[in-house]
Amino acid sequence: MTELVCAKSYCADLCYDCARLSIMLDLDGNVPEMRSEKSRSGPDPANTIHNMNFTPAKTEMWAIWNKTRYTRLISFTFADDALKQLVDEEVSPSALAPRPLFYDPALFHIARLFEAEVGRGEDSPRLYGDSLSVALLLRLAAAGDAYRTPARGGLPPRRLRMVTDYLQEHLADNVGLLELANIAQLSRSHFCRAFRVSTGLSPHQWLVIARIEKAKELLVSDKLPIADIAVLTGFSDQAHLSRHFSRIVGSSPGAWRRQVAP
């Protein structure tokens, strides 16, 4: 997340060692101009203040601020190996072409989800962050009409069981998407899609529900403090457990325990 207060007009070199996507969240004044050549005017901005700019690694790109008083941006950088895997499995190479001053509402929605996680001030589960990252990459490709038609169908029952068994065995761990995709022998994006087809849930949603079910077992069968149960079931603290428990079950862990206590 970056905030810029602009007191005068200036020009910035946006050439980076890795691919970068920037999305405008707030703006006061003129929309900055993007140029692939410093001396040549760039494209007209989209009809929104939430302009987006994608620059591949080591690609010339310039931003020109003229009567732009304030901007707030969220930027994403992409590792070369992640983009190479995506091109190999999911998208055409044109997905990685420079794309100045475009707008895609679905991509903006994903950026807002990232913004919310940054603002929470606590570590996000790896599985959630990984899933958002894959969604961002695929939507970036789709916004450029470079997304290949995805394979349909869910996970074979045996592989689905292997994945869910692994999640049950690692409820308290910060599981990553790559671990699960490797178990299913699929790319991360194919795995996310197939898992949702099979279960109706994203991997992160499934894991949260499984953690809540385990928490309910411990609330009934044990006299452990709720804070300890939160840690045992993979939540960062009691408040984190309570937030998800109340959303899914409809009451707080303490109230639920009193209701079902023998």
Side-chain angles (χ1 to χ4, degrees):
M1 301 287 295
T2 305
E3 288 186 286
L4 297 171
V5 177
C6 311
K8 61 182 180 179
S9 298
Y10 66 99
C11 176
D13 183 357
L14 302 183
C15 181
Y16 301 102
D17 290 335
C18 55
R20 186 181 183 95
L21 170 69
S22 297
I23 298 175
M24 186 82 68
L25 298 175
D26 292 301
L27 173 72
D28 181 21
N30 290 346
V31 175
E33 182 185 352
M34 296 295 171
R35 298 181 179 182
S36 57
E37 297 180 32
K38 187 176 181 180
S39 60
R40 181 177 297 180
S41 296
D44 292 333
N47 188 26
T48 173
I49 68 166
H50 303 302
N51 280 272
M52 304 173 179
N53 184 64
F54 177 71
T55 308
K58 298 179 173 62
T59 300
E60 185 176 8
M61 187 69 68
W62 299 86
I64 312 295
W65 276 264
N66 183 23
K67 297 182 180 179
T68 304
R69 292 178 291 276
Y70 170 82
T71 61
R72 190 167 69 92
L73 304 163
I74 185 168
S75 299
F76 304 89
T77 56
F78 304 100
D80 289 343
D81 57 348
L83 290 182
K84 183 180 184 303
Q85 181 183 23
L86 188 71
V87 169
D88 289 344
E89 298 170 347
E90 298 282 345
V91 305
S92 70
S94 61
L96 306 184
R99 214 178 313 158
L101 296 181
F102 72 101
Y103 176 71
D104 179 76
L107 198 56
F108 185 71
H109 174 70
I110 297 170
R112 284 295 198 192
L113 294 176
F114 272 104
E115 179 191 13
E117 287 303 304
V118 172
R120 281 162 54 86
E122 60 185 47
D123 291 338
S124 298
R126 283 177 59 206
L127 195 54
Y128 182 59
D130 288 350
S131 299
L132 279 183
S133 299
V134 169
L136 183 81
L137 277 167
L138 293 181
R139 188 60 209 176
L140 177 62
D145 297 324
Y147 187 32
R148 294 169 182 161
T149 302
R152 297 186 178 183
L155 291 171
R158 179 174 172 274
R159 290 188 184 177
L160 177 61
R161 186 171 62 255
M162 290 171 63
V163 170
T164 55
D165 285 350
Y166 183 87
L167 286 172
Q168 290 284 6
E169 293 167 4
H170 295 82
L171 285 181
D173 298 337
N174 198 7
V175 177
L177 186 59
L178 183 59
E179 298 169 53
L180 304 181
N182 286 341
I183 292 171
Q185 299 178 24
L186 293 171
S187 69
R188 285 171 292 183
S189 55
H190 281 169
F191 168 73
C192 285
R193 188 181 307 110
F195 189 91
R196 185 179 287 277
V197 169
S198 295
T199 66
L201 301 167
S202 71
H204 177 253
Q205 289 170 331
W206 193 97
L207 179 60
V208 169
I209 291 174
R211 286 172 167 172
I212 293 298
E213 291 303 312
K214 183 62 177 180
K216 288 165 73 174
E217 289 180 19
L218 295 174
L219 286 167
V220 171
S221 63
D222 214 322
K223 296 299 183 183
L224 284 172
I226 294 175
D228 291 349
I229 292 175
V231 173
L232 289 172
T233 52
F235 294 98
S236 57
D237 53 31
Q238 183 172 337
H240 189 202
L241 167 62
S242 296
R243 184 167 63 252
H244 285 288
F245 198 98
S246 298
R247 176 176 58 84
I248 293 171
V249 180
S251 62
S252 69
W256 188 86
R257 172 182 256 176
R258 291 190 292 273
Q259 291 169 4
V260 301

